[in-house]
Amino acid sequence: MNSVSSNEEKTDIYSKEVLISREEINSRVEQLGREISQDYQGRELHLVGVLNGAFMFLADLVRHLSIPCQICFMQASSYKDQQVSTGEVILMHNLDLSGKNVLVVEDIFDTGLTLKHIREDLNMQKPASLEICALLNKRIPDKVAVDVKYIGFEIEDRFVVGYGLDYAEKYRELPHISCLD
Ligand code: 5GP
């Protein structure tokens, strides 16, 4: 009974509009990996993946890097099983980034509130450098001003899932990005 209802959910999500295909993601992530590798030539890169949404993006990105890197994670939550931000950002980590070249890897730059908090929080550790790479940048008015150096794709203001992004913890496993609305 359970397996039938979970199959029905899958059929439903697969019928939604695919905004960015698996192929488009692969090729853009490869380009980003090349660009980042060039920019960090001769330096050791410390990647900080923002859980949970960036887990798939980070895992693919590191496979396209040709420079030495270390990988760690932090947790950020701002959405609580809903499609609008609560405005509250909770960060959790146990990082020591002092003197390191840090690249934060995030799933989506929406209002910018989360990335602003992350930047401020990690800057307190005095890294040698701190940049941000976001897979998606949502075009919305009144974004918080945050410097995001690497962006995978610009998207319209729609709620997206897949490739790590969830709705109520579902759909993260999709290899592409779909619109839920
Ligand atoms: P911000 O603080 O920039 O408004 O939001 C950042 C976080 O909100 C992202 O890391 C992501 O978890 C969540 N978020 C924003 N827009 C979307 C969306 O369209 N889909 C999903 N699944 N999460 C989103």
Side-chain angles (χ1 to χ4, degrees), residues 46-128:
H46 286 254
L47 293 151
V48 178
V50 184
L51 294 172
N52 295 336
F55 80 94
M56 206 180 275
F57 177 36
L58 177 68
D60 283 345
L61 185 64
V62 294
R63 281 179 265 203
H64 294 294
L65 294 179
S66 53
I67 50 165
C69 67
Q70 291 192 21
I71 301 162
C72 49
F73 293 92
M74 68 186 302
Q75 188 139 29
S77 8
S78 60
Y79 280 62
K80 298 261 189 287
D81 295 359
Q82 55 193 21
Q83 295 185 16
V84 287
S85 174
T86 57
E88 184 192 6
V89 179
I90 302 156
L91 301 182
M92 281 184 290
H93 64 80
N94 189 18
L95 300 168
D96 177 9
L97 301 171
S98 163
K100 298 183 172 151
N101 292 295
V102 176
L103 180 63
V104 173
V105 179
E106 170 68 308
D107 54 2
I108 184 165
F109 172 23
D110 184 10
T111 64
L113 208 64
T114 306
L115 285 172
K116 176 177 174 275
H117 274 77
I118 290 174
R119 211 178 234 294
E120 286 172 359
D121 186 82
L122 298 187
N123 258 333
M124 287 196 293
Q125 300 197 358
K126 308 234 175 306

Side-chain angles (χ1 to χ4, degrees), residues 148-165:
V148 179
K149 186 164 183 185
Y150 306 98
I151 287 174
F153 300 91
E154 303 280 341
I155 63 165
E156 299 304 318
D157 187 9
R158 299 183 66 183
F159 194 83
V160 290
V161 295
Y163 199 66
L165 288 143

Side-chain angles (χ1 to χ4, degrees), residues 9-18 173-176 178:
E9 273 177 24
K10 278 225 156 84
T11 311
D12 192 40
I13 188 65
Y14 275 97
S15 72
K16 297 280 184 187
E17 181 192 344
V18 173
E173 74 282 10
L174 296 180
H176 54 260
S178 283

